[in-house]
């Protein structure tokens, strides 16, 4: 449905040009909910605006449903209003002087994708029904909550029956509870309509909750594209692993297939293939299990001292030291232990392996969990 090849975009700034997008390729299938996630300044919104026709790329080709809408060879740029797209912005962009119904109906009656007058009312009412706002149709849009105003913006986008929905950080202005509620409605509605969605966010939890596939973007490039499960459990790079959640890191050296020597002792990892020389081994806090007793210890099991714990309602986050190494763990409860002693176990299948020195500061790798636990949960 959306096909992008070799897309590049630069912006002129004092002192030269900055590359916002660097030769990107992307394929989004029909009916797919595709999320581009990355930190501020990574280029994700620029990419979305290029697809929407709000920015003109310097190089590359964009096709929508097989039609070239932007290209540098030969020069082509189809206007935004002719691309049959719906777009939802970070700001709600509701018209304050209009009612909820009028906000949705106006583009149908007067916009570039206007429909026959006899269809306006039925299309607008149906869009409001889909976002569960039909009961407030006659209310001023500014009297609604933030979550409701964002649903008005969504209704306005889907009322014109777009083949593609583009969404630029649509939930960032909502509080945590509303974000969770509205993101569920957006995904459910997109699947109900069979819409193709290209969605931009900086929130990794939001991305994993909504996406069929995710592209992690950094400095104008994709670091990895895949399903939420792939990016979380099998990241291709250290940067990807860290972006999608807290990690425990260990320096090590592979001594035989599937086995590395580390500061806490031998640690087994999944698979036989491994980089040569120094490696970096990582595992997530929820992958640290607490054994009932040392008598059940096995390989990848280490005695530890409990340093701290924090109750967060649905989980307990704790810190435990194995020698000089401090690890973060997550569980429902910490088993009763004598003198704060624990026996930890890490399943080899949960240990990720990377070439050392790619990004993580090796001298501070062991201390990383304690710094990150402030944001746990």
């Amino acid at each position: 449905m959306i096909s992008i090849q070799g897309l590049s975009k630069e912006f002129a700034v004092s002192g030269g040009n900055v590359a916002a997008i660097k030769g990107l390729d992307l394929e989004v299938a029909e009916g797919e909910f595709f999320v581009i996630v990355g930190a501020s300044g990574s280029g994700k919104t620029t990419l979305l605006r290029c697809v929407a026709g709000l920015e003109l790329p310097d190089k590359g080709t964009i096709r929508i449903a097989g039609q070239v809408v932007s290209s540098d060879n030969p020069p082509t740029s189809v206007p935004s209003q002719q691309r049959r797209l719906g777009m939802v912005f970070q700001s709600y962009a509701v018209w304050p002087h209009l009612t909820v119904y009028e906000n949705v109906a106006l583009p149908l009656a007067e916009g570039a994708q206007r429909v026959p007058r006899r269809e306006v009312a039925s299309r607008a009412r149906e869009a409001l029904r889909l976002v569960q706002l039909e009961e407030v149709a006659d209310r001023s849009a500014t009297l609604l909550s933030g979550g409701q105003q964002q649903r008005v913006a969504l209704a306005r986008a889907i009322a014109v029956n777009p083949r593609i929905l583009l969404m630029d950080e649509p939930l960032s202005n909502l509080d945590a509870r509303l974000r969770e509620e509205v993101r569920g409605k957006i995904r459910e509605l997109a699947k109900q309509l069979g819409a193709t969605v290209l969605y931009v966010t900086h929130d990794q939890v939001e991305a994993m909750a909504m996406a069929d596939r995710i592209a992690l973007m950094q400095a104008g490039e994709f670091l990895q594209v895949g399903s939420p499960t792939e990016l979380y459990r099998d990241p291709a790079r250290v940067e990807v692993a860290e972006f999608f959640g807290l990690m425990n890191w260990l320096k090590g050296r592979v001594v035989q297939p599937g086995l590395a020597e580390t500061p806490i002792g031998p640690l087994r990892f999944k698979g036989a293939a491994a980089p040569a020389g120094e490696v970096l081994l990582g595992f997530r806090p929820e992958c640290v299990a607490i054994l009932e007793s040392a008598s059940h210890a096995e390989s990848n099991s280490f005695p530890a001292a409990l340093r701290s714990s924090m109750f967060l309602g649905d989980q307990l986050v704790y810190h435990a030291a194995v020698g000089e190494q401090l690890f973060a763990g997550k569980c429902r409860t910490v088993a009763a232990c004598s003198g704060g002693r624990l026996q930890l176990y890490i399943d080899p299948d949960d240990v990720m392996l990377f070439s050392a020195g790619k990004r993580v500061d090796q001298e501070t790798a062991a201390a990383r969990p304690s710094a990150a636990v402030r944001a746990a949960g």
Side-chain angles (χ1 to χ4, degrees):
M1 178 60 77
I2 302 175
S3 179
I4 299 173
Q5 289 92 35
L7 198 70
S8 297
K9 176 66 179 178
E10 292 187 352
F11 291 102
V13 297
S14 58
N17 290 343
V18 172
I21 304 175
K22 304 174 183 176
L24 286 185
D25 296 326
L26 178 63
E27 299 289 334
V28 180
E30 184 173 359
E32 186 173 27
F33 201 118
F34 194 98
V35 177
I36 302 171
V37 64
S40 297
S42 60
K44 56 190 187 297
T45 293
T46 300
L47 174 57
L48 195 74
R49 289 174 61 84
C50 287
V51 175
L54 302 177
E55 293 283 356
L56 181 64
D58 298 322
K59 295 181 181 179
T61 301
I62 302 174
R63 291 180 175 84
I64 295 177
Q67 177 191 3
V68 175
V69 297
S70 178
S71 180
D72 63 317
N73 187 26
T76 305
S77 183
V78 175
S80 297
Q81 63 270 24
Q82 296 179 18
R83 297 190 185 192
R84 290 186 58 198
L85 305 171
M87 189 152 185
V88 181
F89 297 92
Q90 178 176 347
S91 59
Y92 313 133
V94 298
W95 289 297
H97 62 292
L98 300 180
T99 66
V100 170
Y101 169 81
E102 290 167 342
N103 263 274
V104 177
L106 185 61
L108 293 171
E110 307 295 341
Q113 301 183 58
R114 57 182 174 269
V115 301
R117 291 281 176 179
R118 63 181 180 276
E119 296 182 19
V120 171
S122 61
R123 292 269 288 271
R125 296 286 179 184
E126 175 62 12
L128 289 172
R129 184 191 68 79
L130 288 171
V131 298
Q132 300 177 357
L133 289 178
E134 65 269 37
E135 293 183 359
V136 296
D138 297 325
R139 189 177 300 177
S140 171
T142 56
L143 296 179
L144 303 183
S145 69
Q148 288 174 318
Q149 289 187 53
Q150 195 58 281
R151 283 152 59 193
V152 173
L154 180 60
R156 186 173 56 204
I158 65 176
V160 296
N161 289 340
R163 50 189 172 180
I164 294 171
L165 280 172
L166 306 180
M167 300 192 181
D168 185 12
E169 302 267 14
L171 307 183
S172 61
N173 289 332
L174 306 183
D175 61 42
R177 184 188 62 81
L178 274 177
R179 280 201 304 272
E180 186 173 341
E181 175 186 335
V182 176
R183 77 189 183 201
K185 292 184 182 297
I186 289 176
R187 178 173 169 83
E188 179 183 349
L189 182 58
K191 292 303 180 182
Q192 181 179 344
L193 297 172
T196 302
V197 179
L198 189 59
Y199 187 105
V200 160
T201 182
H202 66 276
D203 188 319
Q204 62 268 47
V205 174
E206 187 177 306
M208 288 190 289
M210 302 182 76
D212 294 322
R213 282 194 302 149
I214 299 173
L216 175 57
M217 197 168 184
Q218 178 178 292
E221 300 176 306
F222 290 150
L223 298 186
Q224 188 173 351
V225 179
S227 70
T229 302
E230 289 170 344
L231 269 65
Y232 187 79
R233 296 181 178 174
D234 195 21
R237 302 170 60 161
V238 166
E239 297 93 332
V240 178
E242 288 200 314
F243 185 87
F244 284 99
L246 184 61
M247 292 288 295
N248 293 301
W249 295 110
L250 274 173
K251 295 182 292 183
R253 177 179 291 276
V254 176
V255 293
Q256 65 183 60
L259 181 65
E261 189 61 48
T262 76
I264 65 172
L267 187 69
R268 296 194 176 276
F269 56 87
K270 59 183 177 183
E278 296 291 329
V279 295
L280 192 64
L281 301 106
F283 47 91
R284 299 201 181 274
E286 63 270 22
C287 298
V288 181
I290 300 176
L291 299 179
E292 291 185 4
S293 68
S295 62
H296 297 108
E298 49 187 288
S299 61
N300 280 28
S301 175
F302 309 95
L306 183 64
R307 295 298 189 214
S308 65
S309 62
M310 183 188 308
F311 179 66
L312 299 177
D314 61 337
Q315 62 183 333
L316 191 145
V317 177
Y318 64 91
H319 272 170
V322 179
E324 298 298 318
Q325 301 286 323
L326 192 64
F327 297 121
K330 294 181 181 179
C331 60
R332 295 293 298 274
T333 59
V334 171
C337 52
S338 175
R341 304 302 302 177
L342 301 173
Q343 191 73 24
L344 304 183
Y345 171 72
I346 301 104
D347 191 314
D349 286 341
D350 294 325
V351 178
M352 307 173 193
L353 193 71
F354 304 92
S355 294
K358 280 192 173 180
R359 179 176 183 273
V360 174
D361 181 350
Q362 298 296 289
E363 294 182 359
T364 61
R368 186 65 55 87
S370 59
V373 79
R374 292 191 298 271

